[in-house]
Amino acid sequence: MKNLLFLNLGTGEIIVIVLVVLLLFGGKKIPELMHGLGKGVRSFKEGMKDAGDQLKDSDPEEKK
């Protein structure tokens, strides 16, 4: 992995982060957390798409 999200994280750092998350939340909570995170990202993308559609609809240049 070159870099993860432009944070220049190496393999060792990623492993440490995963271990800390496992210790803090336990194995049973992680799927629930990922499910919630996925819903949040999906909602954010839908909101961004809606905002873009509204901007296109209100753009006076395109109506000419």
Side-chain angles (χ1 to χ4, degrees):
M1 272 189 238
K2 282 189 176 179
N3 41 6
L4 182 67
L5 299 173
F6 303 105
L7 297 177
N8 293 328
L9 294 176
T11 306
E13 289 90 355
I14 294 171
I15 291 172
V16 169
I17 292 170
V18 169
L19 288 174
V20 168
V21 169
L22 278 173
L23 288 172
L24 289 175
F25 298 108
K28 293 182 181 179
K29 284 282 190 184
I30 292 177
E32 294 174 18
L33 292 170
M34 293 299 112
H35 184 70
L37 182 65
K39 280 185 175 181
V41 169
R42 189 177 314 117
S43 174
F44 178 75
K45 285 183 179 180
E46 289 174 2
M48 292 298 291
K49 183 180 180 293
D50 290 343
D53 291 344
Q54 287 179 355
L55 286 175
K56 286 181 183 177
D57 290 343
S58 66
D59 190 8
E61 299 261 335
E62 289 184 12
K63 291 182 181 180
K64 289 183 180 180

